[in-house]
Amino acid sequence: MKEIKFSYFAIALLFVCTTSSYAGHLEQLSSSCHLTTLEGDPTYNLQELKGKVVYMDFWASWCPPCIKSFPFLNQLDQDLKDKGLHVVGINLDEKVADAQEFLAKNPVDFSIVADPSKQCAKVLELMAMPTSYLIDRSGNVRHIHQGFRSGESEELRALITQLLQE
């Protein structure tokens, strides 16, 4: 049984390390990602977030775990914004109206942008919804988290707090 658990851990660690090498640095990612507002207007370049700890969360209106994650993201933003955390939700819906309807039912306090070309998602090899990337102040992807289960929120908060203290 311990061998099986260790195998799962090793596979997960290998996946995170491999994915992190693709995710690379905020500088590399920002050259590939052309984010917009939901209305299609250009928005900030990811490189503008350098110096902050960034919790970048990819979501879509059809994703049930995304609904569950939004209260957690709102709370993170409220509690840690003044300490240097920037929470950004990156929408991947095909239709803007779907995202707007979702947000009308699930209001947020954090930044919402869109990845209309899905280029950010491609570069990061996004495989699940939601997927979050925790980026340190230097712009390095330090943690990747797929899905959302409320029991994991304390672990995520601890990781964020650690990066904010660095």
Side-chain angles (χ1 to χ4, degrees):
M1 188 59 128
K2 284 184 181 180
E3 292 175 3
I4 292 172
K5 285 183 180 178
F6 178 77
S7 295
Y8 284 125
F9 174 77
I11 289 168
L13 183 61
L14 180 61
F15 175 77
V16 168
C17 291
T18 303
T19 305
S20 292
S21 68
Y22 286 111
H25 195 271
L26 199 56
E27 209 170 289
Q28 296 165 323
L29 183 59
S30 65
S31 66
S32 303
C33 294
H34 302 288
L35 301 173
T36 68
T37 64
L38 290 180
E39 292 74 29
D41 298 322
T43 189
Y44 55 80
N45 184 307
L46 289 175
Q47 199 156 341
E48 292 175 31
L49 300 176
K50 201 168 184 178
K52 295 184 179 207
V53 172
V54 180
Y55 191 97
M56 186 167 58
D57 184 71
F58 286 86
W59 66 278
S61 62
W62 48 262
C63 163
C66 296
I67 296 169
K68 293 179 182 177
S69 72
F70 271 42
F72 170 68
L73 297 176
N74 270 329
Q75 194 65 51
L76 277 180
D77 185 69
Q78 182 180 350
D79 294 348
L80 302 173
K81 182 190 311 187
D82 293 339
K83 295 181 180 172
L85 178 67
H86 185 84
V87 178
V88 59
I90 302 177
N91 181 261
L92 295 174
D93 279 309
E94 294 294 324
K95 297 178 186 173
V96 173
D98 293 340
Q100 290 170 329
E101 184 179 323
F102 178 95
L103 291 169
K105 294 176 186 173
N106 304 283
V108 298
D109 298 322
F110 54 90
S111 300
I112 295 290
V113 297
D115 180 14
S117 68
K118 314 291 186 273
Q119 192 58 37
C120 285
K122 288 175 191 164
V123 168
L124 292 168
E125 298 182 356
L126 198 73
M127 296 174 59
M129 292 294 266
T131 296
S132 299
Y133 295 83
L134 189 53
I135 302 168
D136 68 17
R137 293 180 194 272
S138 298
N140 298 306
V141 175
R142 297 280 293 272
H143 182 74
I144 300 168
H145 186 79
Q146 294 182 333
F148 183 81
R149 291 160 292 286
S150 57
E152 299 167 337
S153 59
E154 288 306 312
E155 179 184 337
L156 288 169
R157 185 179 276 274
L159 286 166
I160 293 164
T161 301
Q162 178 185 345
L163 288 180
L164 288 168
Q165 293 172 350
E166 289 181 1

